[in-house]
Amino acid sequence: MTPLVLLTGMMCDARLFAPQIAAFSGRRTIVCSPLSQYASVAELATNILYHAPERFALAGLSMGGIVAMEILRQAPERVERIALMDTNPLAEVDEVKARRFTQMVSVSEGRLANVMRDEMKPNYLSDGPNRDEIFRLCMDMALSLGPDVFLSQSRALMNRHDQTDTLRNAHLPALILCGRDDILCPVSRHALMADCLSGATLKIIEGAGHLPVLESPEETNAALACWLEN
């Protein structure tokens, strides 16, 4: 059975995909690759390809989706199918770069917890029943990774390239999934990706924000299972 490579979002570790690992690890090899070693999307993708199985299914959320698209650009022959979740195929605009730079200055001055708590994590989640629990997990993941990872990931995101042509040139089974209430990567971005990828399935998770893998794990897993098995 084809291995599944999972790519996490910014300042997240494998705990982001705990419901998916629990659901699928009994049937296939799962690799959850960290995104902490390099400060460019291209280098992150190259490093993941070096360590990944020869051919694999690829699923990425948020920053993980951005790296997944770069992997698809670098080595399309190795990606059997792709799932892009709560992510963005476009280059970062100047307004967002400026805001990110301000956050980087704050983190460099020792205020990682403040940036994550006050500026980033509040935009991640819909107002669901498990919001507080997921918020605490997100804070723990971020603080465990630390300021150096925040800074390197921020640099990678600031300097990323537009990947719409990568998607237009791809021909493989694809799932485009997002939470209806995602503020960071809205539904319109996912409609764009679905239009670019021939034959892609677009799945909107109601009542979820930027992290449907944790907010609505059963519905997300059902969509992923359909993508993996068809």
Side-chain angles (χ1 to χ4, degrees):
M1 190 169 286
T2 306
L4 171 61
V5 174
L6 298 172
L7 303 181
T8 64
M10 183 180 184
M11 299 307 286
C12 294
D13 57 33
R15 288 175 285 177
L16 176 70
F17 291 122
Q20 291 68 51
I21 293 169
F24 300 116
S25 61
R27 300 193 297 275
R28 68 181 67 234
T29 298
I30 294 180
V31 178
C32 193
S33 296
L35 302 180
S36 56
Q37 304 97 322
Y38 299 97
S40 86
V41 169
E43 287 179 300
L44 287 166
T46 300
N47 183 62
I48 290 164
L49 282 164
Y50 180 80
H51 295 284
E54 185 59 31
R55 190 161 167 81
F56 51 89
L58 179 61
L61 184 143
S62 192
M63 182 177 181
I66 290 166
V67 177
M69 286 181 268
E70 175 62 16
I71 289 172
L72 185 62
R73 187 192 71 81
Q74 290 187 19
E77 73 284 354
R78 292 183 59 187
V79 182
E80 179 189 276
R81 59 191 63 227
I82 193 166
L84 301 171
M85 301 178 286
D86 298 272
T87 191
N88 185 352
L90 304 179
E92 192 152 274
V93 299
D94 289 342
E95 178 185 352
V96 177
K97 285 184 180 181
R99 186 163 61 246
R100 195 181 296 282
F101 182 76
T102 301
Q103 293 171 344
M104 292 170 69
V105 171
S106 294
V107 169
S108 297
E109 295 173 348
R111 297 194 293 274
L112 174 61
N114 302 72
V115 169
M116 298 306 302
R117 182 184 64 243
D118 301 333
E119 299 183 39
M120 299 192 73
K121 299 304 183 186
N123 294 320
Y124 277 25
L125 305 173
S126 182
D127 191 19
N130 299 318
R131 189 179 194 277
D132 290 344
E133 178 184 353
I134 298 171
F135 186 89
R136 286 192 295 271
L137 172 61
C138 288
M139 286 298 298
D140 189 60
M141 289 190 290
L143 296 180
S144 296
L145 289 169
D148 289 344
V149 172
F150 182 94
L151 295 173
S152 64
Q153 290 184 339
S154 296
R155 293 186 190 99
L157 291 171
M158 287 175 72
N159 297 313
R160 70 184 189 263
H161 300 295
D162 185 298
Q163 297 283 10
T164 51
D165 282 345
T166 299
L167 300 182
R168 290 190 183 100
N169 292 329
H171 302 281
L172 75 175
L175 171 66
I176 309 297
L177 182 147
C178 72
R180 173 70 70 184
D181 304 325
D182 191 338
I183 297 171
L184 297 175
C185 299
V187 171
S188 59
R189 291 285 186 268
H190 296 80
L192 170 63
M193 288 187 284
D195 286 343
C196 290
L197 266 166
S198 177
T201 298
L202 176 62
K203 175 66 176 179
I204 311 300
I205 306 293
E206 303 293 338
H210 191 58
L211 303 179
V213 290
L214 292 173
E215 296 173 88
S216 300
E218 292 185 2
E219 190 172 355
T220 300
N221 287 354
L224 287 169
C226 186
W227 162 72
L228 283 167
E229 293 166 8
N230 292 333

